[in-house]
Amino acid sequence: MGIKKIVLDVLKMLKGPTIIDVARRLLEIDGIKSVNIKVNEIDVETLTLTITIEGTDIDFNTIKNVIEDLGGVIHSVDEVTATKE
Amino acid sequence: MGIKKIVLDVLKMLKGPTIIDVARRLLEIDGIKSVNIKVNEIDVETLTLTITIEGTDIDFNTIKNVIEDLGGVIHSVDEVTATKE
Amino acid sequence: MGIKKIVLDVLKMLKGPTIIDVARRLLEIDGIKSVNIKVNEIDVETLTLTITIEGTDIDFNTIKNVIEDLGGVIHSVDEVTATKE
Amino acid sequence: MGIKKIVLDVLKMLKGPTIIDVARRLLEIDGIKSVNIKVNEIDVETLTLTITIEGTDIDFNTIKNVIEDLGGVIHSVDEVTATKE
Amino acid sequence: MGIKKIVLDVLKMLKGPTIIDVARRLLEIDGIKSVNIKVNEIDVETLTLTITIEGTDIDFNTIKNVIEDLGGVIHSVDEVTATKE
Amino acid sequence: MGIKKIVLDVLKMLKGPTIIDVARRLLEIDGIKSVNIKVNEIDVETLTLTITIEGTDIDFNTIKNVIEDLGGVIHSVDEVTATKE
Amino acid sequence: MGIKKIVLDVLKMLKGPTIIDVARRLLEIDGIKSVNIKVNEIDVETLTLTITIEGTDIDFNTIKNVIEDLGGVIHSVDEVTATKE
């Protein structure tokens, strides 16, 4: 039983770690199987990203900390899926 | 025989439990196998959600109580599927 | 040999039984395997529904009676499928 | 070898047999396995239907007679598929 | 090795053989497995058809003759697929 | 290891070999398994084609020569896929 | 564990190596299984490309160097997928 999928709308500074670094760091969190990051908008200083995270039991707070460490802010949780298997 | 799938249009206060909490609480109800919550609109104070619930035998009133406990209101039942298996 | 699928356009009073009740009652009819009800429009007093019924041998008149008992009116039969198996 | 599928555009009087009756009668014809009837338009006196007929070896003239018996007129043959199996 | 699929844009007189007759006659040609004819436009005197022919080794000239025999004219070859199997 | 798929935008004279001839000739090239040619535009003197070529190890220059022999000009390479298998 | 897929937006000089050469060179990099290059825009001097790279463990910097060697510039990383398998 747990959260299997989360879709986040994230604002990230253009400078600093690339979205490849973000993907690698998120993947290191327990319970996470795959991370997909799509760039929706490129502004002067920021990137607007859709981050789709899938796993066996996703812990939202750990994700939130990692993203903030890497210069990002979770704008909203757009989708969540939880199942009993 | 029973209700296998329900799609609800729900209005939820921005403050209070996150949609991740809502997903976890709904998943604890007997007869429910998976919960998907999508955010359709973000207003100043409220979120408009589409909640898709699937299970073996879904009890609508129990769902209604849980959602109301968490600060939500069922705006409408948009879809329901019932099968004999 | 028989009617395997019917799609109905139905007008239902907002008050009275919910579409969940309608789904349960229709499912009790012999020859029906699954019922899907989608809400297309919500007006002041009425709901416009698309009801998709699938089964092994669907009897239209029985369906018509049940829907009318529950405060609905069949506006039109939008689709029907009949097969020999 | 034969005609496996025909799609017809048919105009039918609103009064008289329902599209359910039409589906049943067409299904009785030899060589026909399934009949799907979709209502495209509802006018004051007529229904415009798309009738999709599939079978092992479909005979167009027999279909034409049945439809005309039930108060319909074949406006056009929109599609036909023939295969050697 | 050969032509497996051809899509033709064909103009056919409204009078004369029906598209069902055309489908049957084309199917009699060696190397052809299936014929699909869709009516795109119905004018006062003509039908505009898309004829999709699939087979093991399709001979274009034979097809051209049959279509012309039945009162049709190949307006253009819209698509062709050839494979080595 | 090699080029598995190429999509070409080609301009071809209306006169001269048909797209069926082009498909046959391209198929004769080693390493090519299938050829699909779609007509996008028909002008007074020219055809604009999308040619999709798939194979085990496609040699671009050979293709270029064949197309030019048959009265065509490669306007652009729109897509290419290479894989290690 | 690693980067399985990257989608890049790349600007490339029209002159110099073709996108077929780029695809071949990228494919030679360890950890890369397939490369797909689509031309989005053709300007007077440049091509705008979408390059989709898939593999078992993709190294971004190596890719960046190869693309720059061949006269291209990575405009942005549009998508990245990392998984634990």
Side-chain angles (χ1 to χ4, degrees):
Chain A
M1 169 132 125
I3 306 290
K4 300 299 186 232
K5 174 180 173 183
I6 289 184
V7 178
L8 306 173
D9 186 86
V10 171
L11 205 65
K12 188 193 154 303
M13 300 306 294
L14 206 54
K15 281 198 215 91
T18 71
I19 65 170
I20 292 165
D21 303 320
V22 175
R24 281 195 194 283
R25 278 284 303 282
L26 286 171
L27 200 61
E28 288 160 10
I29 299 171
D30 280 343
I32 291 182
K33 285 202 304 180
S34 86
V35 175
N36 175 280
I37 304 177
K38 279 194 183 147
V39 175
N40 297 324
E41 263 173 65
I42 302 177
D43 294 308
V44 176
E45 301 217 341
T46 62
L47 289 175
T48 310
L49 310 174
T50 299
I51 303 185
T52 304
I53 299 169
E54 298 189 65
T56 49
D57 187 13
I58 298 172
D59 178 65
F60 178 64
N61 290 320
T62 314
I63 288 168
K64 190 162 177 282
N65 299 336
V66 166
I67 288 176
E68 285 166 2
D69 285 354
L70 296 166
V73 173
I74 297 177
H75 176 240
S76 67
V77 179
D78 288 352
E79 185 178 338
V80 62
T81 301
T83 68
K84 268 186 182 153
E85 293 88 54
Chain B
M1 167 131 127
I3 305 289
K4 300 300 187 232
K5 175 180 174 182
I6 290 184
V7 178
L8 306 172
D9 186 87
V10 171
L11 205 65
K12 188 195 153 304
M13 300 306 294
L14 205 54
K15 282 199 214 90
T18 70
I19 66 169
I20 292 164
D21 303 320
V22 176
R24 281 196 193 283
R25 279 286 303 281
L26 285 171
L27 199 62
E28 288 161 9
I29 300 172
D30 280 344
I32 290 182
K33 284 201 306 180
S34 87
V35 175
N36 175 277
I37 303 176
K38 279 193 184 151
V39 176
N40 297 324
E41 262 173 65
I42 302 175
D43 294 307
V44 177
E45 301 216 341
T46 61
L47 288 175
T48 310
L49 309 173
T50 298
I51 302 185
T52 304
I53 299 169
E54 298 189 66
T56 49
D57 185 14
I58 298 172
D59 178 64
F60 177 65
N61 290 320
T62 314
I63 288 169
K64 191 162 175 283
N65 298 337
V66 166
I67 288 176
E68 285 166 3
D69 285 354
L70 296 167
V73 173
I74 297 178
H75 177 241
S76 66
V77 179
D78 287 354
E79 185 179 338
V80 63
T81 301
T83 68
K84 267 185 183 154
E85 293 87 52
Chain C
M1 165 129 127
I3 305 290
K4 300 300 187 234
K5 175 179 172 182
I6 288 184
V7 178
L8 306 172
D9 187 270
V10 171
L11 206 66
K12 187 195 155 303
M13 300 305 295
L14 206 55
K15 280 198 218 93
T18 69
I19 66 169
I20 292 165
D21 303 320
V22 175
R24 281 197 194 282
R25 280 284 304 281
L26 286 171
L27 198 62
E28 288 162 9
I29 300 172
D30 280 344
I32 290 182
K33 283 201 305 180
S34 87
V35 175
N36 176 278
I37 304 176
K38 278 193 186 154
V39 175
N40 297 325
E41 262 172 65
I42 302 176
D43 294 307
V44 177
E45 299 217 340
T46 62
L47 288 175
T48 310
L49 310 174
T50 299
I51 302 185
T52 305
I53 299 169
E54 298 188 67
T56 48
D57 185 14
I58 297 171
D59 177 66
F60 178 66
N61 291 321
T62 315
I63 288 168
K64 191 162 175 283
N65 299 336
V66 166
I67 288 176
E68 284 165 3
D69 284 353
L70 296 167
V73 173
I74 296 178
H75 177 240
S76 67
V77 179
D78 288 353
E79 186 178 338
V80 62
T81 301
T83 67
K84 268 187 183 154
E85 291 87 55
Chain D
M1 167 127 128
I3 305 290
K4 301 300 185 233
K5 175 180 172 183
I6 288 185
V7 178
L8 306 172
D9 186 272
V10 171
L11 207 65
K12 186 194 157 301
M13 300 305 295
L14 207 54
K15 281 199 217 91
T18 70
I19 67 169
I20 292 164
D21 303 321
V22 175
R24 281 196 193 281
R25 280 284 305 281
L26 286 171
L27 199 62
E28 288 162 7
I29 299 172
D30 280 344
I32 291 182
K33 283 202 303 181
S34 86
V35 176
N36 176 278
I37 303 177
K38 277 191 187 152
V39 176
N40 297 325
E41 260 172 66
I42 302 177
D43 294 307
V44 176
E45 301 218 340
T46 62
L47 288 175
T48 311
L49 309 175
T50 299
I51 302 185
T52 305
I53 298 170
E54 299 189 67
T56 48
D57 186 14
I58 299 172
D59 178 65
F60 177 66
N61 291 319
T62 315
I63 288 168
K64 190 162 176 284
N65 299 336
V66 166
I67 288 175
E68 284 166 3
D69 285 353
L70 296 166
V73 173
I74 295 178
H75 177 239
S76 67
V77 179
D78 289 352
E79 186 177 338
V80 62
T81 301
T83 68
K84 269 187 181 155
E85 290 88 57
Chain E
M1 167 124 129
I3 306 290
K4 302 300 186 229
K5 175 179 172 184
I6 287 185
V7 178
L8 306 173
D9 186 273
V10 171
L11 206 65
K12 188 194 155 303
M13 300 305 294
L14 206 54
K15 279 199 218 91
T18 70
I19 66 169
I20 292 164
D21 303 320
V22 175
R24 280 197 194 283
R25 279 286 303 281
L26 286 171
L27 199 62
E28 288 161 9
I29 300 172
D30 281 344
I32 290 181
K33 283 202 304 182
S34 86
V35 176
N36 175 278
I37 303 176
K38 278 193 185 148
V39 176
N40 297 325
E41 262 173 64
I42 301 176
D43 293 310
V44 176
E45 301 217 341
T46 62
L47 287 175
T48 310
L49 310 174
T50 299
I51 302 186
T52 304
I53 299 169
E54 298 189 67
T56 48
D57 186 15
I58 298 172
D59 178 64
F60 178 66
N61 290 320
T62 315
I63 288 168
K64 190 161 176 284
N65 299 335
V66 166
I67 288 175
E68 285 166 2
D69 284 354
L70 296 166
V73 173
I74 295 177
H75 177 239
S76 68
V77 179
D78 288 354
E79 185 178 338
V80 62
T81 301
T83 67
K84 269 188 181 154
E85 291 89 54
Chain F
M1 166 129 131
I3 306 291
K4 300 301 185 231
K5 175 180 174 184
I6 288 185
V7 178
L8 306 173
D9 187 270
V10 170
L11 206 64
K12 187 193 155 305
M13 301 305 295
L14 206 54
K15 282 199 216 89
T18 70
I19 65 169
I20 292 164
D21 304 320
V22 175
R24 281 196 193 281
R25 278 285 303 279
L26 286 171
L27 199 62
E28 287 160 11
I29 300 172
D30 280 345
I32 290 182
K33 282 202 304 180
S34 87
V35 175
N36 176 279
I37 303 177
K38 279 194 185 150
V39 176
N40 297 325
E41 262 173 62
I42 302 176
D43 294 310
V44 177
E45 301 218 339
T46 61
L47 288 175
T48 309
L49 310 174
T50 298
I51 302 185
T52 305
I53 299 169
E54 298 188 67
T56 49
D57 187 14
I58 298 172
D59 178 64
F60 178 64
N61 290 320
T62 314
I63 288 168
K64 191 160 175 285
N65 299 335
V66 166
I67 288 175
E68 285 166 2
D69 283 355
L70 296 167
V73 174
I74 295 178
H75 177 238
S76 67
V77 179
D78 288 355
E79 185 178 337
V80 61
T81 301
T83 68
K84 269 187 180 155
E85 294 88 53
Chain G
M1 168 132 127
I3 305 291
K4 300 299 185 240
K5 174 179 174 184
I6 288 185
V7 178
L8 306 173
D9 187 86
V10 170
L11 205 64
K12 188 192 155 305
M13 300 306 295
L14 207 54
K15 280 197 217 90
T18 70
I19 65 170
I20 292 164
D21 304 320
V22 175
R24 281 195 195 282
R25 279 284 303 281
L26 286 171
L27 199 63
E28 288 160 10
I29 301 171
D30 280 344
I32 291 182
K33 284 202 303 181
S34 85
V35 175
N36 175 279
I37 304 177
K38 279 194 184 146
V39 175
N40 298 325
E41 262 173 63
I42 302 177
D43 293 308
V44 176
E45 302 218 340
T46 61
L47 288 174
T48 310
L49 310 174
T50 299
I51 302 186
T52 305
I53 299 169
E54 298 189 66
T56 49
D57 186 13
I58 298 172
D59 178 64
F60 177 64
N61 291 320
T62 315
I63 287 169
K64 191 162 177 283
N65 299 335
V66 166
I67 287 176
E68 285 166 2
D69 284 353
L70 297 166
V73 173
I74 296 178
H75 177 239
S76 67
V77 178
D78 288 353
E79 185 178 337
V80 62
T81 300
T83 68
K84 268 186 181 155
E85 295 88 54

